[in-house]
Each structure stands twice: as structure tokens, then as C-alpha cells.
């Protein structure tokens, strides 16, 4: 097998790990294109090493700067660049690992062109799940999740969503799993970003600390596996060894386990349905781990989880609003403008005021996204 792949978000956390996975599978992949945001130093190294035909960067300025320094590679820019790369029929699989709603349009383009998607961008399914999964079905395109919990569920069911009673998504609980409300209220950025189990980008690490990440994953799972929200359960599992489990209608439960490394779900998604040895993430020694703990999530300390369930159940544009408001609030927290616990307050207020559009179009979703981000800045101004 040699599979032609493009990576959107090649200089981010998932993108870099995907290239490590590809390094561990010599001859299996040919890289058509790489897209980065503003880290052109790293992108230049990636161009030298992987020799893509096309690259894309965040802005025109960066594209002009890069063009002067590289040869034999076409340089694109912005959202247009992502779309051009995504829709190119040379791709056999597209890894979507950009953050935020930037991933949505390129994903739609790729699906329209029959290209399989390895999806690391959960916002795409949270905000526009019905559009994306509907189109994938119509075009007979696989969406293989890179998110470790969803990869776990996918592996447990072998791609066939039949006879499922419920699924269980596990959460490590983040850095504040055992903290009091007061401690969470006073949490600084540094402690919040010190995730005990997973090394990830800063936005998702904050989401893990508030459990919003798990909430977004519940909505992601609803669309990926066509399940009712009542059949998606979240449990806290601090060791992060069991990534997900499926209970079938006969009561049998199958779970997927592994050391907490993103290399495994990334490799699963980009090589699906084949399996290879790949890079060594180490072998899981259960006797070394010796115990696996499971707890119910505490919705008092982590209200974001319940808000995400509510937004998902309400449907329409509620999840798009939730996603956009949360993202803006997280950035405000990372800039030191608000407290960690303000994120939930802002999301709650925005959802209360949200005017839902049932069965939204792509345009509706983009407008809700834009509007929701705007009201967060208004909230922040009114506070000051
Ligand atoms: Mn996850």
C-alpha cells in the first residue's frame, strides 16, 4: 500500500504526531500537501523532509515570505488554500487536524470529491454534524475519527453500528479531577495546561480541564455513530487506559485499551482498514498499571459537560453556538482576561439567549458561529 495523504494542520500537535507515525511506516505514504498556520519555520523543515507538491499557510504575508525561501512547491494561503488542498483528487485520505471551524469547509470539499477523512477536528462534527455525516453517507466516504475515545468506539464496533445498547466515553478528569470548587475557581493558566495524562494543544487542554472537551465529544459521538444522547455515557477514568467501550444489546461490553498515546488513533485512522507495526508506543502491561478506577463525573464542579448534552439534545444551531462561545471564552481565559469558571458562565448565558435554527444550512452555521463569537467579546467588554 502507498497511500497519498495531505495534512491540514501539519505543525500542530496532531499534525506533528501524524508525521511521526508516517516516519514509522516507510514507503506507505506519499505526502501530497501540508498546511500550517503561522509556524513557517517548522513548515520549511517539513517541506525539506517530506517534499510535498503543495503547501498552505495562514496569511498572504506568510505565503510571500515562504515562497522566497522554498523551491519546487506550490504555496497557497488562507481558507482558500485549505479548500484547494482538501478537494484535490490526488488525495486518498485527508487528515483534518486544524483547530476550530476552519476545518469545516475543507472537510466538506474533500467529502464532495470522494476523499476519505481522518478527522481530528471535532468542531466540524459538533457544529455541522448533520451536514457532514449526511454528505459522507451520500458520497460513500469514510470518516475515521482520530479522537482517541471515538477511535476506541470505532474499533469496538468494527465500523458497523448495529446492536448497540450504549457507548461509554472515558475522560481522564483533567488536572482538577479532585479539586474543590474554590480551587477550580482560582485555577491559573499554568495549572490548567498541566494535563496529567495527555499532551495536546492548549485549547483542547483547557477544554479537558472544564470537561467541555468530553461534552463536545458526546456531540461528536452522536453524529459519528448515529446514537441518541441517552445512549452516550461519560465516565471518569483517571488512568486513561480504557479509551471507550460499547455495550451491546445482549449485555456484552467490548472496550478498547492502550497506553495514552495519540500515535495509536492517528495511525488507525490514516491506515484504516489495514494495520501495521508502526512506531513503538510501548506495550500495555496491565500488571504494572495494577488498577483501573472509574467514577461518575461531578456536574456541579464541571457544569460544561451537562451544557454540551443540553445543546446536543436541543440540536439545530445550539451545538454550533456552544462550540463558538466556548472557544472564544477559552481564548479569553488563556489571555488572562477571565477565570476558568467564567467559561461555563459565559457559555450558559449565551445558550440561554440563543435563537435556534432547526435543521441549519452551512450558511446558518457559519453565521451563528460568527455571531456567537461576537457576543463573547461584548460580554467581556460589559464586564470591564
Ligand atoms: Mn478525545
Amino acid at each position: 500500500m502507498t497511500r497519498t495523504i495531505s495534512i491540514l494542520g501539519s505543525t500542530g500537535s496532531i499534525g506533528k504526531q501524524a508525521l511521526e507515525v508516517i516516519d514509522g511506516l516507510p514507503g506507505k505514504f506519499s505526502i501530497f500537501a501540508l498546511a500550517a498556520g503561522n509556524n513557517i519555520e517548522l513548515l520549511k523543515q517539513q517541506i525539506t523532509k517530506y517534499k510535498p507538491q503543495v503547501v498552505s499557510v495562514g496569511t498572504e504575508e506568510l505565503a510571500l515570505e515562504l515562497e522566497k525561501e522554498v523551491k519546487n512547491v506550490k504555496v497557497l494561503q488562507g481558507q482558500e488554500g485549505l479548500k484547494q488542498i482538501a478537494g484535490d483528487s490526488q488525495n486518498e485520505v485527508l487528515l483534518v487536524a486544524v483547530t476550530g471551524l476552519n476545518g469545516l469547509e475543507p472537510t466538506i470539499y474533500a467529502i464532495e470529491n470522494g476523499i476519505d477523512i481522518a478527522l481530528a477536528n471535532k468542531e466540524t462534527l459538533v457544529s455541522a454534524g448533520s451536514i457532514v455525516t449526511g454528505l459522507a453517507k451520500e458520497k460513500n466516504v469514510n470518516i475515521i475519527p482520530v479522537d482517541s475515545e471515538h477511535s476506541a468506539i470505532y474499533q469496538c464496533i468494527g465500523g458497523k453500528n448495529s446492536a448497540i445498547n450504549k457507548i461509554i466515553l472515558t475522560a481522564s478528569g483533567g488536572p482538577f479531577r479532585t479539586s474543590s470548587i474554590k480551587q477550580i475557581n482560582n485555577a491559573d493558566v499554568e495549572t490548567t495546561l498541566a494535563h496529567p495524562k495527555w499532551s495536546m494543544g492548549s485549547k483542547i487542554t483547557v477544554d479537558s480541564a472544564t470537561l467541555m472537551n468530553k461534552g463536545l465529544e458526546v456531540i461528536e459521538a452522536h453524529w459519528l455513530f448515529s446514537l441518541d444522547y441517552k445512549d452516550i455515557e461519560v465516565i471518569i477514568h483517571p488512568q486513561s487506559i480504557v479509551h471507550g467501550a460499547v455495550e451491546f444489546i445482549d449485555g456484552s461490553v467490548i472496550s478498547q485499551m492502550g497506553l495514552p498515546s495519540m500515535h495509536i488513533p492517528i495511525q488507525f485512522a490514516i491506515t484504516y482498514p489495514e494495520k501495521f507495526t508502526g512506531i513503538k508506543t510501548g506495550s500495555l502491561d496491565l500488571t504494572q498499571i495494577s488498577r483501573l478506577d472509574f467514577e461518575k463525573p461531578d456536574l456541579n464542579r464541571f457544569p460544561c459537560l451537562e451544557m454540551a448534552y443540553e445543546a446536543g439534545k436541543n440540536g439545530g444551531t445550539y451545538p454550533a453556538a456552544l462550540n463558538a462561545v466556548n472557544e472564544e471564552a477559552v481564548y479569553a481565559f488563556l489571555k488572562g482576561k477571565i477565570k476558568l469558571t467564567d467559561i461555563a458562565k459565559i457559555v450558559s448565558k449565551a445558550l440561554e439567549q440563543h435563537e435556534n435554527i432547526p435543521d441549519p444550512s452551512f450558511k446558518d452555521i457559519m453565521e451563528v458561529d460568527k455571531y456567537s463569537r461576537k457576543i463573547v467579546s461584548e460580554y467581556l467588554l460589559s464586564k470591564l
Side-chain angles (χ1 to χ4, degrees):
M1 170 194 108
T2 302
R3 191 174 273 179
T4 304
I5 187 169
S6 291
I7 301 176
L8 306 185
S10 67
T11 56
S13 171
I14 295 287
K16 285 191 281 185
Q17 294 181 78
L19 289 169
E20 287 164 15
V21 167
I22 289 170
D23 289 343
L25 299 167
K28 300 279 185 234
F29 285 94
S30 148
I31 294 177
F32 168 65
L34 298 173
N38 50 28
N39 189 351
I40 63 168
E41 284 312 310
L42 180 56
L43 182 62
K44 271 193 282 183
Q45 293 170 26
Q46 293 177 345
I47 292 170
T48 309
K49 184 167 177 186
Y50 298 102
K51 303 186 172 52
Q53 294 177 44
V54 185
V55 294
S56 185
V57 289
T59 64
E60 193 179 355
E61 224 177 6
L62 289 169
L64 290 171
E65 195 183 328
L66 184 64
E67 251 175 353
K68 283 185 214 148
E69 300 181 45
V70 292
K71 275 186 219 135
N72 304 323
V73 58
K74 190 168 160 191
V75 181
L76 305 172
Q77 46 112 349
Q79 188 70 7
E80 215 29 64
L82 294 181
K83 276 157 59 180
Q84 269 195 49
I85 288 174
D88 196 295
S89 55
Q90 288 188 60
N91 292 313
E92 288 166 284
V93 57
L94 178 74
L95 173 60
V96 183
V98 289
T99 48
L101 213 54
N102 290 339
L104 176 57
E105 263 194 293
T107 303
I108 291 176
Y109 263 58
I111 297 172
E112 274 172 351
N113 286 286
I115 299 156
D116 282 342
I117 308 288
L119 189 63
N121 172 282
K122 66 190 71 170
E123 291 88 346
T124 292
L125 285 180
V126 170
S127 298
S130 83
I131 294 174
V132 171
T133 54
L135 190 63
K137 213 171 171 185
E138 187 191 316
K139 298 283 178 183
N140 204 15
V141 160
N142 286 315
I143 299 178
I144 316 292
V146 170
D147 213 345
S148 58
E149 299 79 358
H150 305 74
S151 177
I153 304 298
Y154 202 95
Q155 294 180 59
C156 292
I157 62 180
K160 291 191 295 285
N161 306 6
S162 59
I164 295 171
N165 195 35
K166 68 170 180 184
I167 65 168
I168 296 164
L169 303 177
T170 55
S172 70
F176 306 120
R177 180 176 63 89
T178 58
S179 306
S180 67
I181 288 187
K182 200 176 157 211
Q183 284 167 322
I184 298 172
N185 208 20
N186 294 323
D188 60 14
V189 172
E190 202 189 333
T191 327
T192 307
L193 290 182
H195 196 277
K197 288 290 167 191
W198 297 92
S199 151
M200 306 173 290
S202 52
K203 194 266 174 182
I204 185 176
T205 306
V206 176
D207 284 344
S208 295
T210 61
L211 286 198
M212 181 59 97
N213 181 53
K214 211 50 52 180
L216 298 175
E217 289 182 353
V218 166
I219 301 172
E220 186 186 7
H222 163 79
W223 290 112
L224 272 174
F225 306 115
S226 315
L227 292 168
D228 270 3
Y229 285 96
K230 67 170 175 42
D231 301 329
I232 304 170
E233 191 182 336
V234 169
I235 58 175
I236 306 296
H237 167 44
Q239 291 89 357
S240 294
I241 296 297
V242 175
H243 304 306
V246 178
E247 183 186 275
F248 293 89
I249 50 175
D250 60 359
S252 170
V253 177
I254 296 181
S255 75
Q256 187 261 347
M257 295 193 276
L259 293 170
S261 158
M262 286 309 291
H263 289 134
I264 299 171
I266 291 169
Q267 180 168 316
F268 178 84
I270 65 176
T271 59
Y272 180 84
E274 295 191 64
K275 271 194 189 289
F276 301 102
T277 307
I279 50 171
K280 294 276 175 294
T281 36
S283 187
L284 172 62
D285 181 349
L286 285 171
T287 60
Q288 192 98 52
I289 288 154
S290 91
R291 57 181 281 179
L292 299 173
D293 296 299
F294 302 98
E295 314 160 356
K296 267 198 174 10
D298 178 352
L299 299 177
N300 281 322
R301 287 183 301 140
F302 303 103
C304 287
L305 179 59
E306 198 166 28
M307 285 179 211
Y309 266 105
E310 277 309 305
K313 284 180 203 161
N314 289 335
T317 45
Y318 272 104
L322 169 94
N323 175 59
V325 170
N326 174 63
E327 195 173 311
E328 291 302 312
V330 168
Y331 291 141
F333 168 70
L334 285 170
K335 286 182 197 146
K337 289 185 186 163
I338 59 169
K339 291 204 282 190
L340 183 67
T341 42
D342 288 335
I343 296 172
K345 287 179 193 159
I346 292 173
V347 171
S348 163
K349 191 173 165 189
L351 288 182
E352 253 169 49
Q353 293 172 354
H354 181 63
E355 286 172 34
N356 189 32
I357 307 168
D359 201 12
S361 67
F362 174 77
K363 203 169 148 249
D364 293 332
I365 288 162
M366 297 311 278
E367 271 166 19
V368 164
D369 183 78
K370 209 167 140 195
Y371 172 76
S372 304
R373 288 172 200 275
K374 211 178 83 200
I375 58 167
V376 175
S377 25
E378 280 166 19
Y379 289 163
L380 295 177
L381 282 176
S382 67
K383 252 185 85 180
L384 294 172

Coordinates of all heavy atoms in Angstrom, one line a residue, residues 10 25 190 250 280 359:
S10 N -0.3 20.7 9.8 CA 0.9 19.8 9.9 C 1.9 20.2 11.0 O 2.7 19.4 11.5 CB 1.6 19.7 8.6 OG 2.2 20.9 8.3
L25 N 6.3 4.3 9.1 CA 5.7 3.4 8.1 C 6.4 3.8 6.8 O 5.7 4.2 5.9 CB 4.2 3.6 8.1 CG 3.4 3.4 9.3 CD1 2.0 3.9 9.2 CD2 3.4 1.9 9.6
E190 N -1.4 28.2 34.0 CA -0.3 27.2 34.0 C -0.8 25.8 34.6 O -0.5 24.8 34.0 CB 0.8 27.7 34.9 CG 2.2 27.1 34.7 CD 3.2 27.5 35.7 OE1 3.1 28.6 36.3 OE2 4.1 26.7 36.0
D250 N -27.1 -7.5 24.0 CA -27.1 -8.7 24.8 C -26.4 -8.5 26.1 O -26.2 -9.5 26.8 CB -26.5 -9.9 24.0 CG -25.1 -9.6 23.5 OD1 -24.6 -8.5 23.8 OD2 -24.5 -10.5 22.9
K280 N 6.8 2.4 17.8 CA 6.6 1.7 19.1 C 6.1 2.6 20.1 O 6.7 3.6 20.6 CB 7.9 1.0 19.6 CG 8.4 -0.1 18.7 CD 7.7 -1.4 19.0 CE 8.1 -2.5 18.0 NZ 7.7 -2.2 16.6
D359 N -32.5 22.4 11.8 CA -32.0 21.9 10.5 C -31.3 23.0 9.7 O -31.6 23.3 8.6 CB -33.3 21.4 9.7 CG -32.9 20.5 8.6 OD1 -31.7 20.0 8.6 OD2 -33.7 20.2 7.7

